[in-house]
Amino acid sequence: MVITLQQATPARLHHLHIVSDDPQQLAAFYRARLGLEDVESPDDRIVLTGPSRAVEISDSRSGRLPHSGFVLNSTQELDRLRQRLTMNDVQCLPTDSVLYWSGAFMIRDPQGRLVSFGLAADGPQRNGMPGRLQHTVFQTTELERVIAFYTEVIGFSISDEVVDDSGKPMVVFMRSDDEHHTLAFFQGSQNVWDHHCYETSEWNDIRDWGDLFAKAEVPIFFGPGRHGPGNNLFFMVTDSDGNRLEFSAELAHVSVDDAPGVWPHGERTLNSWGRAWIRT
Ligand SMILES: [Fe+2]
């Protein structure tokens, strides 16, 4: 039986490393719209932090690759996770970031996506609108293979699956702590980043983020609505590179022993309020 992250070594999404053809313009978006501020970076990475959210931005010509950075609660738990991964023949590569204490490491999933695990470094205290970086989602051409890796090898737990008429999974939501999902994958025709999400405190925060984007003339492209899996309220906008950002409230919590839910692949699963955006 797989010991899950949720049981043994809870992990939460902490930062994203984004790669851009125009890092300065992208950084300007995150400073202005997400209220992020620069922290000193030892190299050409732009490192921006805000209240419970952070991004690193690299020039696509730097050769650095995008990755998702998770944090654990203690050195002991980080060591335990590294041991488990090593026993499962996963190579733990050293990684450095001013957002981590030393000892962080990076792994590759079967399709080459990078995921890092570490302990959060102390950074400057930031104030601003509530929006904790909470989950990230990818489209994949090999859903079954990546889900097997994330669940059986790393220890993510499946919270919900969206299945087609034949019962084949099309979307899988996975958790690494008590929150419904910190990571999800959609079956699709490409291997691309789908979106990332900021969890707010309540519906009124969604209103305030909506007003903020309205003032900047950044239009909503999906939502507002409520997702079936996770039961969270949401809307989505895009950044200056076209990356999709979601703002969410009321994301469900799931117990260790809860069995995965199964949902039909339809508009009302992805948005119970109405029209959905179905990936192809
Ligand atoms: Fe999402």
Side-chain angles (χ1 to χ4, degrees):
M1 190 178 137
V2 177
I3 298 171
T4 63
L5 293 171
Q6 184 183 16
Q7 283 172 304
T9 56
R12 62 185 167 81
L13 185 63
H14 178 260
H15 63 269
L16 298 170
H17 185 108
I18 306 175
V19 169
S20 174
D21 291 341
D22 193 342
Q24 290 302 339
Q25 181 180 261
L26 191 63
F29 176 93
Y30 282 90
R31 288 185 196 107
R33 305 292 156 243
L34 275 289
L36 302 187
E37 297 176 58
D38 291 71
V39 294
E40 203 172 320
S41 170
D43 49 37
D44 58 346
R45 273 177 284 191
I46 301 170
V47 184
L48 304 172
T49 66
S52 306
R53 48 187 183 264
V55 294
E56 293 180 329
I57 301 174
S58 282
D59 194 308
S60 45
R61 287 157 293 193
S62 69
R64 290 197 198 91
L65 296 169
H67 68 261
S68 313
F70 285 79
V71 291
L72 281 78
N73 293 323
S74 67
T75 310
Q76 291 77 4
E77 291 185 9
L78 187 64
D79 288 347
R80 211 180 308 158
L81 177 60
R82 187 204 296 262
Q83 280 165 16
R84 169 149 34 113
L85 291 167
T86 306
M87 270 169 32
N88 285 335
D89 295 324
V90 178
Q91 207 182 355
C92 297
L93 308 161
T95 184
D96 64 318
S97 166
V98 292
L99 300 172
Y100 279 142
W101 291 118
S102 61
F105 60 89
M106 179 114 76
I107 62 171
R108 261 175 213 284
D109 80 9
Q111 293 188 305
R113 271 176 222 91
L114 294 168
V115 186
S116 61
F117 295 95
L119 300 176
D122 292 334
Q125 201 64 36
R126 306 286 199 212
N127 297 314
M129 302 247 296
R132 170 174 50 89
L133 180 62
Q134 195 278 326
H135 70 254
T136 186
V137 177
F138 297 89
Q139 185 180 138
T140 174
T141 55
E142 295 181 284
L143 186 64
E144 211 176 309
R145 186 170 172 223
V146 292
I147 296 304
F149 177 79
Y150 282 96
T151 56
E152 292 162 23
V153 178
I154 304 184
F156 280 82
S157 310
I158 296 177
S159 294
D160 274 315
E161 289 181 326
V162 179
V163 300
D164 70 8
D165 292 344
S166 69
K168 192 170 145 238
M170 300 301 287
V171 192
V172 180
F173 295 89
M174 292 178 292
R175 67 186 182 278
S176 53
D177 60 10
D178 294 345
E179 290 191 305
H180 180 271
H181 58 286
T182 46
L183 181 64
F185 284 89
F186 284 78
Q187 174 70 47
S189 56
Q190 300 175 77
N191 292 299
V192 291
W193 189 24
D194 192 273
H195 70 269
H196 70 285
C197 182
Y198 300 90
E199 183 70 12
T200 66
S201 309
E202 54 160 331
W203 171 248
N204 285 350
D205 296 333
I206 302 268
R207 174 200 64 191
D208 294 346
W209 281 105
D211 284 342
L212 187 141
F213 285 112
K215 240 181 246 160
E217 297 185 20
V218 175
I220 286 176
F221 89 92
F222 179 28
R226 188 187 284 280
H227 291 309
N231 197 40
N232 49 325
L233 302 159
F234 73 94
F235 75 82
M236 286 191 190
V237 294
T238 54
D239 69 21
S240 55
D241 276 6
N243 302 310
R244 291 174 281 263
L245 289 73
E246 176 178 27
F247 291 82
S248 160
E250 302 184 6
L251 180 66
H253 283 216
V254 181
S255 301
V256 167
D257 299 327
D258 284 0
V262 179
W263 297 76
H265 192 231
E267 288 210 315
R268 287 183 52 77
T269 291
L270 296 181
N271 183 4
S272 62
W273 288 6
R275 193 188 65 84
W277 161 50
I278 306 260
R279 283 75 161 175
T280 53

